């Protein structure tokens, strides 16, 4: 079966997010002063073949843990759908 995984990777809330701070400063320079707590992360889309949804989930889990996310600094969440 073919599956699509939508993965969101974000820095842990307790860690400083320099990219988020830079975006927030840029927004303030544009006059958007009501924006607070900007966090910048990554969104990754994967298409994969797997025997079933459980196998697809395991493969995406392995990809996140082994390569896509730095677990010391980031957390991840993903959704899988059949295509």
């Amino acid at each position: 079966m073919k599956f699509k995984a939508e993965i969101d990777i974000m820095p842990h809330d307790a860690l400083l997010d320099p990219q988020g701070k830079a975006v927030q400063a840029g927004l303030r320079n544009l006059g958007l002063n009501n924006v607070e707590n900007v966090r910048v992360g990554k969104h990754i889309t994967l298409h994969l073949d797997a025997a079933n949804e459980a196998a697809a989930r395991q493969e995406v889990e392995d990809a996140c843990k082994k390569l896509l996310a730095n677990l010391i600094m980031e957390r991840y969440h993903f959704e899988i759908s059949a295509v």
Side-chain angles (χ1 to χ4, degrees), residues 1 21 37 43:
M1 295 180 67
K21 295 290 183 196
N37 300 323
H43 181 83

Side-chain angles (χ1 to χ4, degrees), residues 29-49:
N29 289 338
L30 294 173
L32 302 169
N33 297 314
N34 295 323
V35 178
E36 297 178 1
N37 300 323
V38 176
R39 308 290 287 176
V40 174
K42 299 178 273 191
H43 181 83
I44 301 168
T45 302
L46 299 177
H47 292 263
L48 61 147
D49 288 321

Side-chain angles (χ1 to χ4, degrees), residues 3-83:
F3 293 92
K4 178 180 176 182
E6 299 281 345
I7 306 164
D8 290 315
I9 301 171
M10 295 295 293
H12 289 298
D13 291 336
L15 295 178
L16 177 66
D17 180 3
Q19 286 181 296
K21 295 290 183 196
V23 170
Q24 185 171 338
L27 292 171
R28 288 208 169 125
N29 289 338
L30 294 173
L32 302 169
N33 297 314
N34 295 323
V35 178
E36 297 178 1
N37 300 323
V38 176
R39 308 290 287 176
V40 174
K42 299 178 273 191
H43 181 83
I44 301 168
T45 302
L46 299 177
H47 292 263
L48 61 147
D49 288 321
N52 53 46
E53 185 174 336
R57 283 191 175 282
Q58 186 59 55
E59 196 162 341
V60 173
E61 187 80 31
D62 290 345
C64 289
K65 286 181 179 176
K66 293 179 180 179
L67 178 68
L68 301 177
N70 177 348
L71 299 180
I72 295 170
M73 301 175 61
E74 299 171 317
R75 59 182 161 75
Y76 64 89
H77 172 77
F78 63 87
E79 298 289 331
I80 293 200
S81 58
V83 291

